[in-house]
Amino acid sequence: MARTLNLGILAHVDAGKTSLTERLLYAAGVIDTIGSVDDGNTTTDSLALERQRGITIKSAVVSFTLDDVTVNLIDTPGHPDFIAEVERVLNVLDGAVLVVSAVEGVQPQTRVLMRTLQRLRVPTLIFVNKIDRTGARDDGVLREVSERLSTAIAPLVAVDRIGTRDAATRPFDPTDQGFNIRLLELLAENDDALLTAYVNGTDVAHGRLRRALARHTAQSLVYPVLFGSAITGAGIEPLTAAIRELLPAVVGDHEADVAAKVFKVERGPRGEKVAYVRMHTGAVRTRERVRFGDGSAEAKVTRITVFHQGKEIERSCVRAGQIGKLWGLNDVQVGDAVGAGHTARDEHYFAPPSLEAVVVPVDGVDRGAVHSALAQLAEQDPLIDVRQDDLRQEISVSLYGEVQKEVIQATLADEFGLAVSFRETTTICIERPVSRGWAVETIYVEPNPFLATVGLRVEPAPVGAGVTFGIEFELGALPPAFLKAVEDTVYETLREGLHGWEVTDCRVTMTHSGYAPRQSHAHQGFDKSMSSTGADFRLLTPLVLMAALKEAGTGVFEPMHRFRLESPRDVYGSLAPALASLGAIPRQQEARGEAYVIDGHIPAARVHTLQQRLPALTRGEAVLETAFDHYAPVRAPVPERARIGVNPLDRQAYLLHTTRRV
Ligand SMILES: Nc1nc2c(ncn2[C@@H]2O[C@H](COP(=O)(O)OP(=O)(O)OP(=O)(O)O)[C@@H](O)[C@H]2O)c(=O)[nH]1
Ligand SMILES: [Mg+2]
């Protein structure tokens, strides 16, 4: 039976993911010469912009075989500005290789990625790359991995001549008693039979340990660690062996109903939409109609390609376990389910973008064209939020950072021929309710103009809980379509809170409901003026919800980054006041040889300024790493965001904008 392993390569920026991908393809015999990121000729960094800049921007799929296993490798970008690309592939992985640099070690972004892999229980190998570079460390990095990523690690190779061009790895000898005992000790933590053997001091055959290691790796209980160099090829063989042996390849059920997930959408040369799907079960054939999205959309698949030995080839069918590209699904979106299953509300694993910038068309460029081009980019990248502020005639986009901004600008210029500039980047805050609030509007009772009763309670939910919706009356008391109208509108309304920011970590409970049942006079059919419709609920909900939110009150929070700043010791005197003036809060500081390392928090809004000032403050010798960490209350004055919609708290304006029915 053909087996498939959908394997993600994840790491912080510049760790060597793309170079490693190239190396693995070479080792598998898929390519004859190894491309280089620095020369801009690797297989997976295929976009012009990627080649120019030497960084990965979009995730890319490439395939090779290891014995009987087809590996679909997904090379992801490491720059935090493109974290959305990583997020989308997480749902389709059978396993991952988390790359750590032997020189830079575990970075804040490495921790962000590892936490998510752990949470999603993705079986993961840790690959410590760049052992050939000066300054490469083995024990030091292992210590960092164990302290900051996971204590359940199983190093499988030793490194000789680390930090030199000749650095090489040596797999631990299966007859090495010390190695076997360390492995046994680790595996015994989750295996009673092995624990007994360990306690009794019984010898366990290496083969049995290795099988247990594969089992525990597959369950994300243990993380094997390998070392090597993507550039010299050292340690690649043990890595391929571990991918083959320790990560769980799958045999999909081809006969079952189709269940698949869309993890990437791109536009083909003629502007047609192409969906990348990971097939979980079943098979999709060309000319077959498939359902996707919430189950209501349906379209005919016109063309299928799959990845095969470094190439993309046309097929008439894509099966369970495989990754394929589908043409013909014109309304498809990233995150859609394909098949009978419904798509749940998108779960996000990483923090949403914390910045936004107003896009300004350069002389003569049409604003409408810019808006539709951005909307196209947003459809490939669901985390880009394009907002059109009708009052001020402005378009703004949400962003992760400056590099993403430059990429959007270059893409608009290259692909759409649109020149734009950006106005200053600002922070996207969030609102959280500070207490409980409640409001109700009752059917037939003034001043409720709608044929519906809606009562809503709003209260704070734990940090990170997002928005949840529940009901407090008997299920069935309200027709499901009306309930759904209320729920959908609740989520929609909370996108703009009392200060215009998205409201989160909030529990909304529907406390009261009521409707006018369908009535018809003889021969007259359905009478809209006497019976409730979904619109009554959709229009009334914002009025009630915002009134409840006003009673609860909200606090505005700004995104904070965790930073780690390494700089020469002697510049600390000028660095410390500069950090303080940017609102940075140091948590830990320590001298490390000639360097000084500061760990702390800084408002996301100030990260870019810090990056710009650092070279002058530190003679260009500083290394700064930052990653989103949490939201903190903003200090007064509370920033207000311009609203897109009418504020339902202004009842008159709101009713003018809605079609009043009664
Ligand atoms: N000496 C040495 N250099 C390496 C190694 N792996 C990668 N590099 C270099 O490190 C730089 C970054 O490599 P990439 O492969 O682009 O790293 P990446 O993780 O794909 O980077 P992003 O996709 O932009 O996050 C390039 O200059 C590579 O030549 C290695 O094992 N040894
Ligand atoms: Mg890359």
Side-chain angles (χ1 to χ4, degrees):
M1 237 350 185
R3 297 194 301 151
T4 316
L5 177 74
N6 294 304
L7 177 70
I9 306 239
L10 278 66
H12 66 81
V13 69
D14 264 358
K17 297 170 292 295
T18 303
S19 308
L20 180 63
T21 302
E22 204 66 12
R23 233 333 135 175
L24 290 169
L25 292 176
Y26 180 75
V30 164
I31 52 175
D32 307 328
T33 49
I34 300 178
S36 134
V37 173
D38 308 296
D39 297 338
N41 57 359
T42 60
T43 314
T44 45
D45 279 356
S46 58
L47 301 176
L49 214 52
E50 294 181 316
R51 297 186 160 201
Q52 280 159 25
R53 290 177 164 255
I55 61 166
T56 305
I57 296 168
K58 296 261 173 196
S59 51
V61 187
V62 64
S63 152
F64 59 93
T65 48
L66 290 177
D67 305 332
D68 64 326
V69 178
T70 301
V71 180
N72 290 317
L73 191 156
I74 309 181
D75 178 21
T76 64
H79 196 289
D81 281 15
F82 308 115
I83 190 81
E85 285 288 311
V86 183
E87 172 156 292
R88 266 164 261 149
V89 309
L90 285 169
N91 287 316
V92 307
L93 299 181
D94 303 310
V97 174
L98 181 69
V99 184
V100 177
S101 158
V103 183
E104 284 84 17
V106 172
Q107 307 271 307
Q109 185 73 356
T110 323
R111 300 180 61 186
V112 168
L113 294 169
M114 182 68 172
R115 267 204 304 269
T116 312
L117 289 168
Q118 285 169 328
R119 203 180 121 204
L120 296 174
R121 297 191 149 271
V122 178
T124 300
L125 306 177
I126 296 171
F127 182 72
V128 183
N129 188 34
K130 304 198 183 184
I131 57 166
D132 61 304
R133 259 188 55 189
T134 319
R137 304 164 291 142
D138 46 3
D139 287 346
V141 173
L142 274 182
R143 212 175 311 119
E144 282 176 30
V145 167
S146 142
E147 279 169 11
R148 298 166 73 182
L149 298 182
S150 167
T151 48
I153 53 169
L156 299 182
V157 299
V159 189
D160 297 321
R161 298 178 297 281
I162 191 154
T164 70
R165 266 312 271 190
D166 305 325
T169 62
R170 192 165 24 89
F172 286 120
D173 183 349
T175 61
D176 175 344
Q177 273 308 311
F179 171 52
N180 281 338
I181 288 174
R182 282 199 303 279
L183 207 51
L184 177 60
E185 191 175 338
L186 176 70
L187 297 170
E189 281 179 31
N190 298 298
D191 187 317
D192 288 344
L194 290 178
L195 180 63
T196 313
Y198 177 67
V199 173
N200 298 339
T202 325
D203 267 354
V204 179
H206 182 74
R208 183 171 159 207
L209 287 177
R210 197 84 191 181
R211 283 192 299 279
L213 180 61
R215 229 172 28 246
H216 292 193
T217 307
Q219 293 169 30
S220 300
L221 296 170
V222 167
Y223 299 92
V225 182
L226 295 113
F227 284 83
S229 163
I231 296 297
T232 67
I236 298 302
E237 230 179 84
L239 174 64
T240 9
I243 292 173
R244 165 79 187 75
E245 208 192 316
L246 301 177
L247 293 179
V250 293
V251 182
D253 181 355
H254 305 170
E255 308 300 327
D257 288 340
V258 172
K261 182 95 180 162
V262 177
F263 65 93
K264 174 172 170 163
V265 170
E266 63 182 23
R267 294 260 172 183
R270 285 177 304 283
E272 74 278 19
K273 260 196 190 177
V274 187
Y276 286 64
V277 293
R278 151 82 203 250
M279 298 292 300
H280 288 287
T281 55
V284 170
R285 292 176 185 80
T286 41
R287 292 190 298 282
E288 223 171 57
R289 294 189 75 80
V290 293
R291 283 173 180 279
F292 56 92
D294 61 5
S296 61
E298 206 187 78
K300 192 154 100 182
V301 176
T302 53
R303 187 182 165 212
I304 296 174
T305 62
V306 298
F307 298 91
H308 181 73
Q309 293 289 58
K311 298 200 176 54
E312 216 186 298
I313 52 171
E314 193 116 8
R315 282 277 165 84
S316 58
C317 176
V318 56
R319 293 169 191 282
Q322 292 181 326
I323 284 178
K325 280 163 80 170
L326 306 183
W327 275 255
L329 314 184
N330 284 329
D331 298 317
V332 76
Q333 288 182 345
V334 174
D336 276 359
V338 176
H342 285 246
T343 314
R345 259 165 62 81
D346 259 4
E347 195 188 348
H348 292 308
Y349 307 123
F350 301 113
S354 56
L355 302 170
E356 70 183 340
V358 174
V359 186
V360 189
V362 169
D363 307 333
V365 168
D366 178 43
R367 186 183 309 275
V370 172
H371 188 258
S372 73
L374 284 169
Q376 264 195 43
L377 293 184
E379 119 206 320
Q380 296 170 27
D381 190 341
L383 285 180
I384 294 187
D385 189 18
V386 182
R387 287 165 55 97
Q388 170 124 297
D389 176 349
D390 288 335
L391 275 178
R392 295 197 224 164
Q393 286 286 305
E394 277 179 355
I395 307 168
S396 58
V397 287
S398 57
L399 295 166
Y400 279 101
E402 296 299 315
V403 177
Q404 189 191 14
K405 186 160 114 179
E406 290 166 25
V407 166
I408 290 179
Q409 192 175 27
T411 310
L412 287 178
D414 300 347
E415 287 180 26
F416 299 89
L418 298 168
V420 301
S421 64
F422 286 89
R423 223 179 293 143
E424 184 193 6
T425 310
T426 51
T427 314
I428 302 178
C429 297
I430 57 161
E431 289 179 43
R432 290 184 176 130
V434 290
S435 66
R436 198 182 251 217
W438 177 73
V440 65
E441 301 243 8
T442 310
I443 189 166
Y444 308 129
V445 176
E446 287 283 342
N448 178 5
F450 302 107
L451 276 177
T453 297
V454 172
L456 294 170
R457 189 174 62 235
V458 163
E459 57 205 317
V463 168
V467 176
T468 54
F469 178 81
I471 57 171
E472 220 171 54
F473 48 85
E474 221 166 284
L475 194 67
L478 190 65
F482 295 163
L483 185 59
K484 178 148 193 332
V486 173
E487 180 172 2
D488 288 350
T489 312
V490 162
Y491 293 127
E492 187 56 36
T493 306
L494 290 180
R495 291 180 60 139
E496 295 193 318
L498 300 178
H499 302 278
W501 305 104
E502 180 151 1
V503 181
T504 188
D505 300 336
C506 167
R507 172 146 191 80
V508 180
T509 309
M510 188 169 185
T511 55
H512 293 72
S513 73
Y515 67 106
R518 205 177 161 100
Q519 301 177 10
S520 61
H521 300 289
H523 313 299
Q524 281 181 340
F526 176 49
D527 184 348
K528 245 171 95 175
S529 68
M530 296 176 72
S531 315
S532 302
T533 66
D536 286 302
F537 287 89
R538 270 195 300 278
L539 296 173
L540 178 58
T541 297
L543 284 176
V544 178
L545 182 56
M546 288 302 279
L549 193 64
K550 184 157 185 233
E551 191 179 294
T554 63
V556 176
F557 295 74
E558 69 173 328
M560 297 291 285
H561 279 211
R562 172 99 184 252
F563 73 89
R564 184 175 176 280
L565 175 61
E566 201 176 314
S567 65
R569 250 176 147 168
D570 59 319
V571 303
Y572 182 72
S574 49
L575 198 54
L579 285 174
S581 76
L582 290 173
I585 308 151
R587 286 171 12 128
Q588 232 180 10
Q589 335 196 5
E590 65 173 326
R592 237 189 236 175
E594 287 307 297
Y596 205 74
V597 181
I598 308 173
D599 197 313
H601 292 127
I602 180 169
R606 303 304 186 85
V607 170
H608 186 57
T609 313
L610 176 60
Q611 271 160 351
Q612 283 176 322
R613 285 203 204 154
L614 269 185
L617 286 167
T618 63
R619 301 188 297 270
E621 289 178 46
V623 182
L624 175 70
E625 278 287 332
T626 83
F628 170 83
D629 195 73
H630 66 282
Y631 284 95
V634 290
R635 280 175 236 157
V638 170
E640 302 278 332
R641 186 195 221 183
R643 309 183 72 88
I644 303 176
V646 182
N647 191 343
L649 284 172
D650 182 349
R651 198 180 178 95
Q652 263 186 336
Y654 177 79
L655 291 179
L656 264 179
H657 263 78
T658 56
T659 27
R660 218 178 146 178
R661 285 205 16 243
V662 179

